[in-house]
C-alpha cells in the first residue's frame, strides 16, 4: 500500500464547492488503495484578510499573537475538508500542526522545522482514516506556542510529512498542469515539463517561478522525497521533481524564469580601497535584507572611485537605503541610486554544466531583439540577466524560442495564480 | 491587588473598532491596579457563519471536526484583543481553552468542565500581563481533542476561571446596563436591579432571561463566585448576583421573565390507569428532549380517559411527536395535539417563600387584563403561567405594574440583543 501526501493550496479550497471537489479527489486517491495524508492551506484569501484585520487593531501586531491569529485559517479549511470526506462515507481526521508533530523553533512568522513526530497521523492511517493536516503551522516546545512557517509554509508542511512518514510521493496540487518551461501567461508557447531535477527546480524557484517554493524543494531534495506537481482539476501526469536526472544527457536549458519583484541599488563613488565592499555589505546584512545579484565595476583610474550595484526584493529596499544613508560619511560614498524598474530573466538547465556557449547564445538572442543587458550573474546551472522591467516579458519569449523550448501548441492557461 | 475576570460577548467585539474599545476598557481596569483575565467570545456572528459553512460541505458535520472549526472564532478575537492591548503599551497574552487549562469531558458540542488548571494564566499575571482566554472551548485529555462547551459557554469559561483563580469578581460585560426587572424592550417601565440572588437569577434565566446563562449562574453559585453584570459601554454599576440576599426582608418579586421559545404537546385520551404517565415520559426522555411544565387533567369519570400536556423547547418538538406516534398503539392514547403559539410568563422572587397571596395577585392581574391562563407551574421562588403567545408581552407589562416593579422613567434600550 502506497502512502501519498497531497498538498492543496488556498485557491483549491476557496469555497464550499471547491472543498467538496477536493474531498472527492482525496476519496478517489484513497479508494485506489492508498494511505492518504493531506496538507491544506487556508481558504482563498483568508490569510491576507486576517492580516488586514490585525493591522486594523494594531499597526505592528505582536508576532506571537499574529501566529495565533493566522493559524485559524488552516484550521478552518482542514476541519471543513475532514467533514466533507466523512460525509462521503470515508473516515477522516484533522490535525493542527501541533497535533501532527510539526516541531519548530520559536521564530514567529518564519519558524524553522526542527523535528517531525507524526504519531497521531500514523495512528489515524493505521485505523484506515485519511489524515488532514493544517499547513503553514507548527509548535515550539519551549514556549508551548503555535508558530507559522512563513512563505511556502504549506508546501514545506507537506514535504516534511512525506519525509517523516516515508511517503512514496508528495503531490503538490495546484491550478496549473505542472512546471512549465516558462510562465504560460507570459510565454504562450511554453510547455509542461515531464520531469525536472530538484537542483533546476531550486534555481527556477529562486529565479521567480511561483509554482513550488524554494524551501519545500530544498527540504525534498535533502530528505529524498519525490515531488509531483500536478493539476487539482484533472488527472493528467504533472511534473516530477527528481533528485537527479535520469537521462544520460540533460537538456541544456530546462526553463526560463522572470522576476519583477526586485529593485537595484547603486552605491555611487565608493573609494576603491580594500574593505569598502565588506563595509557596505555588512551594513546591508544587519538590516536582514536578502541580497541577490552584486556587480562591482572596475574603478576609474583617474578618480579612484567605483560603483557597486546590487539587487534585492523591493520590500527590503527602504530599510537598506536608510541604513546606508546613516553610514554615508563613515563609508565615504558619493550618493545612492535606486531603480525599481528592473526585471530579472534567468535560464536554468543541468546540461549547461557541460555545454559551452550558453551565455553567448543567451546574450545574442537578447541583443538581436534589441534588449539591453544591465547586470549578469551565474551559477553552475543558471544564468541571470537584469533588463528593463518593461522588456522582461518579451525577453522571456525571445529566449524561450532561441533555446528551442517552444511547444507545438499554445499552453492552456487556467484562471489562477499558479499557486 | 484584586484579580478581576471580565467576559466580553460577541456583539462587544463585533469589529476592529469594538475590539479597540474593549482593549481600552481592559487597559483602564489594569491601570486601576488590578490583575486582569478576560474571557472573550467570537466576533459578531462568526460562530453562526462557521456553522453555515460547515453545513454547506456536510449536511451532518462530524462533531469532533465541528468543534475544531468553531473554536477558531474565539481564537481570532482573543489574538486581536491581545494585539490591541499590546499596541496600547500593556503586556497581554492570549490562550486557547487548552492552554488555559479548561479540561473537559469528551462530549463535543456540549462538553462539561471537569477540571480547571490555569497555570499559564497565573504565570502571565505574575509577569504583569493581561491574560486573554478563548471562551466556549476546552480540551479533553483522553482523546487530546479540542471541545466546545455549548450554550452559555463563554460565560461559563469566565466563571470557571474566576473560581479557579480565586478572583474577587467575575464581570459579565454586555450591551445592557445589568439585569432588569423585565426585558426593557418589552416592558418600557422595567428598571435595573442593583442586586439579585443567584437562586433568583437561575429562575430568571430558566424562565427566558437572556443576559446570563443558567449554567454560568449555577457554576458561580456552587463555587461562590461574585458575578457583576454590567454595560461594556459605560462605567455605571450593574447588577450584582449574590449568593444570598443581604436584606432582612427579600423583595417578594424581583423580576418578570417571558419566553416564546416553547411549544405545547398534548397527549389526548390517555387511559387513566397506573403507569401511563410513566410510559409517556419514558418515551419522551429517550429522545433527549428537555421537558419543562407538565399538566395532567383529572380524568373524566365517564370515559376513564385523561389528557396530559407538557411544554418543551420548539426545536425538540418534532422528535418527541415522532417518538410518541410510533408508540401510539402500545400506550393507547387517542391523538396528539401540537401548539406552538404559547408564551410562558414567570415571576421570580426570593420573598415569595414567606409571603402568601402571590399566586392570587398574579392570577388577578392577568384576569383583569383579560388574559387567559392555560397552564401553571411553580417552584419555591417562581410561578410560571402559560398564555397565548400574542398575549405574552402585554401580560408581562401588566404583571410588572401589578407587583410594583415599574421604575420612574422608561429604561434606555441599546441596540443589541442583550447578550
Amino acid at each position: 500500500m502506497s502512502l501519498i501526501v497531497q498538498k492543496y493550496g488556498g485557491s483549491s479550497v476557496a469555497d464550499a464547492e471547491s472543498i467538496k471537489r477536493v474531498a472527492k479527489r482525496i476519496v478517489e486517491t484513497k479508494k485506489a488503495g492508498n494511505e492518504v495524508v493531506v496538507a491544506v492551506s487556508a481558504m482563498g484569501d483568508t490569510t491576507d484578510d486576517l492580516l488586514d484585520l490585525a493591522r486594523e487593531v494594531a499597526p505592528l501586531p505582536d508576532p506571537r499573537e499574529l501566529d495565533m491569529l493566522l493559524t485559524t485559517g488552516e484550521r478552518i479549511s482542514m476541519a471543513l475538508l475532514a467533514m466533507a470526506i466523512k460525509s462521503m462515507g470515508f473516515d477522516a481526521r484533522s490535525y493542527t500542526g501541533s497535533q501532527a508533530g510539526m516541531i519548530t523553533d520559536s521564530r514567529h512568522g518564519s519558524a524553522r522545522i526542527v523535528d517531525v513526530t507524526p504519531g497521531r497521523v500514523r495512528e489515524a492511517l493505521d485505523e484506515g482514516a485519511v489524515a488532514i493536516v493544517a499547513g503553514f503551522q507548527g509548535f515550539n516546545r519551549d514556549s508551548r506556542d503555535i508558530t507559522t512557517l512563513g512563505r511556502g509554509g504549506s508546501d514545506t508542511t507537506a514535504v516534511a510529512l512525506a519525509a517523516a512518514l516515508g511517503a512514496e510521493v508528495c503531490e503538490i496540487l495546484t491550478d496549473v498542469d505542472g512546471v512549465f518551461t516558462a510562465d504560460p501567461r507570459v510565454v504562450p508557447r511554453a510547455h509542461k515539463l515531464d520531469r525536472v531535477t530538484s537542483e533546476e527546480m531550486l534555481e527556477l524557484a529562486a529565479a521567480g517561478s511561483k509554482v513550488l517554493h524554494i524551501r519545500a524543494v530544498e527540504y525534498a531534495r535533502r530528505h529524498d522525497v519525490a515531488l509531483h506537481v500536478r493539476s487539482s482539476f484533472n488527472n493528467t501526469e504533472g511534473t516530477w521533481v527528481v533528485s537527479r536526472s535520469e537521462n544520460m544527457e540533460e537538456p541544456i536549458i530546462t526553463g526560463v524564469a522572470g522576476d519583477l519583484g526586485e529593485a537595484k541599488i547603486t552605491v555611487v563613488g565608493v573609494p576603491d580601497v580594500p574593505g569598502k565592499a565588506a563595509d557596505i555589505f555588512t551594513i546591508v546584512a544587519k538590516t536582514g535584507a536578502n541580497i541577490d545579484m552584486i556587480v562591482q565595476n572596475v574603478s576609474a583610474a583617474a578618480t579612484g572611485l567605483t560603483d557597486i550595484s546590487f539587487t534585492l526584493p523591493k520590500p527590503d529596499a527602504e530599510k537598506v537605503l536608510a541604513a546606508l544613508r546613516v553610514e554615508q560619511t563613515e563609508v565615504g560614498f558619493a550618493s545612492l541610486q535606486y531603480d525599481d524598474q528592473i526585471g530579472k530573466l534567468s535560464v536554468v538547465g543541468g546540461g549547461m554544466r557541460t555545454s559551452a556557449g550558453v551565455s553567448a547564445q543567451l546574450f545574442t538572442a537578447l541583443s538581436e531583439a534589441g534588449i539591453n543587458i544591465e547586470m549578469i550573474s551565474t551559477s553552475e546551472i543558471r544564468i541571470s540577466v537584469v533588463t528593463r522591467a518593461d522588456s522582461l516579458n518579451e525577453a522571456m519569449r525571445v529566449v524561450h524560442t532561441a533555446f528551442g523550448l517552444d511547444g507545438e501548441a499554445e499552453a492552456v492557461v487556467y484562471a489562477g495564480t499558479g499557486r
Side-chain angles (χ1 to χ4, degrees), chain A residues 148-372:
Chain A
T148 55
L149 306 180
R151 300 195 132 270
S154 292
D155 289 350
T156 307
T157 297
V159 172
L161 283 169
L165 292 163
E168 262 64 53
V169 61
C170 179
E171 293 187 341
I172 305 291
L173 286 313
T174 181
D175 43 7
V176 289
D177 281 346
V179 181
F180 280 68
T181 51
D183 185 337
R185 292 167 299 177
V186 173
V187 182
R189 302 286 298 279
H191 69 271
K192 178 185 73 69
L193 294 159
D194 290 336
R195 53 189 64 245
V196 67
T197 65
S198 40
E199 217 184 2
E200 291 170 325
M201 195 61 235
L202 277 171
E203 291 283 3
L204 284 168
S209 169
K210 299 259 175 296
V211 76
L212 255 186
H213 201 270
I214 192 175
R215 188 175 171 195
V217 180
E218 177 56 21
Y219 200 113
R221 193 187 65 78
R222 249 186 305 111
H223 293 85
D224 219 20
V225 174
L227 282 176
H228 188 190
V229 182
R230 60 193 308 195
S231 167
S232 66
F233 293 93
N234 60 52
N235 269 319
T236 54
E237 278 282 295
T239 304
W240 286 90
V241 181
V242 297
S243 299
R244 64 193 67 73
S245 175
E246 292 153 3
N247 298 336
M248 290 309 296
E249 302 215 14
E250 291 169 293
I252 296 171
I253 296 298
T254 299
V256 179
D259 191 347
L260 284 167
E262 296 197 339
K264 180 173 79 176
I265 291 175
T266 303
V267 188
V268 180
V270 182
D272 190 18
V273 297
K276 285 299 170 188
D279 288 345
I280 287 170
F281 289 103
T282 301
I283 293 165
V284 171
K286 281 192 178 141
T287 68
N290 277 320
I291 301 309
D292 186 12
M293 301 165 69
I294 300 173
V295 165
Q296 178 173 331
N297 291 328
V298 171
S299 72
T303 61
L305 297 175
T306 184
D307 297 341
I308 298 178
S309 294
F310 56 91
T311 68
L312 76 176
K314 281 174 181 169
D316 286 349
E318 201 172 312
K319 62 181 179 180
V320 168
L321 289 166
L324 286 168
R325 279 192 205 104
V326 165
E327 304 281 353
Q328 183 162 3
T329 324
E330 185 70 29
V331 175
F333 60 83
S335 65
L336 290 171
Q337 282 176 0
Y338 176 67
D339 181 357
D340 67 357
Q341 293 304 305
I342 63 166
K344 185 176 87 171
L345 179 149
S346 307
V347 291
V348 175
M352 156 178 345
R353 253 188 294 253
T354 51
S355 278
V358 177
S359 306
Q361 197 174 349
L362 173 65
F363 301 156
T364 303
L366 290 171
S367 155
E368 280 175 0
I371 294 166
N372 191 37

Side-chain angles (χ1 to χ4, degrees), chain A residues 140-151:
Chain A
N140 177 248
R141 281 197 179 118
D142 301 323
S143 63
R144 287 170 299 163
D145 281 334
I146 310 292
T147 54
T148 55
L149 306 180
R151 300 195 132 270

